[in-house]
Amino acid sequence: AMTPFEYVRPDDVAGAVTMVSTDLGASYLAGGTTQLDLMKDGVLAPERLVDISRLPLRGITRRDDTLWVGALTTMEELAADPTVAERVYFVREALLLGASTQLRNMATIGGNLLQRTRCRYFRDPTGMMCNKRTPGSGCAALTGVARMHAILGASEQCIAVHASDLCVPLVALDAVVHIQGVGGQRSVPLTEFYVLPRDRPDIENVLEHGELITQVEIPLLPIGARSGYLKVRDRASYEFALTSAAAALLIEDGTITKARLALGGVGTIPWRAREAEAILNGAAVSDETFRAAAEVALRDPFTVSGTVFKVELAKRTIVRIMQTLSGSRS
């Protein structure tokens, strides 16, 4: 049974931010596709839900080589945008592979960035230890069934994976999150927005209580760049990634002039593979180059018995998307 809560609908962004910032028991409600599940499971129990779904934070605007996406824009709206298909194709792929059509029509971009982990131990408050849900209680996943868990950015404290598909190409693109708080606005690169679990797995990002994501700024790839999102999963229908890779390559005369690479299904945060990018930039298109990049990207994994298989699977995922984008494998 859900804990009783108050439901309110603010008139504007400032009112919403004030309402939540001044009330530690308050939470924002947008599409609700994850939040209501967590409330039903007893993981979240807000005393007041502040419904922002009708605030004017919806829509996509192009300015030069950047897309400005309102936080309440739905996944379906962003996937259908012609500029996304033309200039950041892997964003479209990640959205379409990320959820069913019904969910994409409800779920918002801001909500996708803030979705909570699917870790079964986090989502079962009936006795499972979880440092993310109850700090200091321990981590049941370390010794439990952990097939869907993280191997990068993980530690003895927490191995919960970040579930978003969309965030993987977004961190590869250096997207920027725009945030409204009581004291004004600020912007944070998505690569700096998420916080590694370390000794406080309950803190997942840099948001203060009551701060609201208003827009996401998505830089477009240069014309001629090829991008793709490869998602490896147990079954082809709606399912979370075992491993995934978002890659963008600009290739001139058989040489990679600019590479972007991020990984999903393996990180406690959406994982930007900068060391792998450094190997790819300026290198010749070849399987040797791709394998070298993959080795570096997974150089220092934190594994438990259930996740050991992900190390090689993630490497193969990287090599495969690179081969596909470079045309060295059809």
Side-chain angles (χ1 to χ4, degrees), residues 110 123 206 230:
R123 286 178 174 249
V206 300
L230 177 59

Side-chain angles (χ1 to χ4, degrees), residues 75 95 98 107-115 162 164-167 194:
M75 292 174 70
L95 286 161
T108 64
I109 298 307
N112 189 290
L113 267 56
L114 295 175
Q115 67 180 291
H162 194 280
S164 172
D165 289 295
L166 170 65
C167 289
Y194 297 104

Side-chain angles (χ1 to χ4, degrees), residues 84-142:
V84 170
E86 188 190 337
R87 295 288 296 277
V88 282
Y89 188 70
F90 60 170
V91 170
R92 174 181 162 83
E93 287 188 305
L95 286 161
L96 295 179
L97 289 168
S100 64
T101 312
Q102 294 94 322
L103 278 171
R104 290 199 307 268
N105 276 306
M106 284 291 294
T108 64
I109 298 307
N112 189 290
L113 267 56
L114 295 175
Q115 67 180 291
R116 306 301 299 275
T117 182
R118 300 283 159 175
C119 173
R120 58 192 284 184
Y121 307 104
F122 170 72
R123 286 178 174 249
D124 180 8
T126 58
M128 293 293 185
M129 298 182 301
C130 172
N131 287 323
K132 190 181 276 300
R133 193 182 61 247
T134 311
S137 63
C139 173
L142 288 177

Side-chain angles (χ1 to χ4, degrees), residues 219-242:
L220 302 177
L221 290 167
I223 290 167
R226 299 179 206 171
S227 70
Y229 183 67
L230 177 59
K231 181 176 183 178
V232 179
R233 45 191 175 174
D234 282 327
R235 56 174 200 252
S237 68
Y238 177 51
E239 177 71 284
F240 293 94
L242 289 170

Side-chain angles (χ1 to χ4, degrees), residues 42-302:
V43 177
L44 299 179
E47 294 158 20
R48 174 191 273 191
L49 280 185
V50 178
D51 183 352
I52 55 170
S53 61
R54 291 168 180 80
L55 296 182
L57 296 174
R58 195 165 174 169
I60 304 164
T61 310
R62 180 172 174 180
R63 294 183 210 154
D64 301 323
D65 279 333
T66 308
L67 277 187
W68 293 73
V69 181
L72 292 174
T73 304
T74 66
M75 292 174 70
E76 188 65 22
E77 287 164 341
L78 188 58
D81 185 83
T83 303
V84 170
E86 188 190 337
R87 295 288 296 277
V88 282
Y89 188 70
F90 60 170
V91 170
R92 174 181 162 83
E93 287 188 305
L95 286 161
L96 295 179
L97 289 168
S100 64
T101 312
Q102 294 94 322
L103 278 171
R104 290 199 307 268
N105 276 306
M106 284 291 294
T108 64
I109 298 307
N112 189 290
L113 267 56
L114 295 175
Q115 67 180 291
R116 306 301 299 275
T117 182
R118 300 283 159 175
C119 173
R120 58 192 284 184
Y121 307 104
F122 170 72
R123 286 178 174 249
D124 180 8
T126 58
M128 293 293 185
M129 298 182 301
C130 172
N131 287 323
K132 190 181 276 300
R133 193 182 61 247
T134 311
S137 63
C139 173
L142 288 177
T143 52
V145 178
R147 182 174 168 76
M148 302 300 293
H149 285 69
I151 57 174
L152 297 175
S155 72
E156 296 281 349
Q157 297 286 331
C158 183
I159 58 170
V161 85
H162 194 280
S164 172
D165 289 295
L166 170 65
C167 289
V168 183
L170 290 189
V171 296
L173 285 168
D174 291 306
V176 177
V177 183
H178 291 260
I179 299 163
Q180 176 75 47
V182 179
Q185 299 178 345
R186 64 185 180 124
S187 56
V188 178
L190 195 59
T191 52
E192 296 169 27
F193 179 77
Y194 297 104
V195 178
L196 289 171
R198 297 201 173 93
D199 57 350
R200 284 296 302 273
D202 55 312
I203 299 173
E204 298 184 356
N205 56 57
V206 300
L207 287 179
E208 301 289 336
H209 178 75
E211 282 192 316
L212 180 65
I213 295 177
T214 55
Q215 296 186 94
V216 182
E217 190 184 341
I218 306 177
L220 302 177
L221 290 167
I223 290 167
R226 299 179 206 171
S227 70
Y229 183 67
L230 177 59
K231 181 176 183 178
V232 179
R233 45 191 175 174
D234 282 327
R235 56 174 200 252
S237 68
Y238 177 51
E239 177 71 284
F240 293 94
L242 289 170
T243 66
S244 72
L249 297 178
L250 198 58
I251 297 170
E252 290 172 24
D253 302 326
T255 298
I256 301 163
T257 55
K258 178 69 178 169
R260 293 177 177 275
L261 178 64
L263 310 177
V266 293
T268 53
I269 61 175
W271 198 263
R272 179 75 179 268
R274 293 189 191 277
E275 291 174 308
E277 290 175 347
I279 284 183
L280 293 163
N281 287 329
V285 170
S286 70
D287 283 356
E288 291 74 28
T289 298
F290 301 151
R291 186 72 198 184
E295 290 290 342
V296 165
L298 287 122
R299 190 172 56 196
D300 193 21
F302 180 95

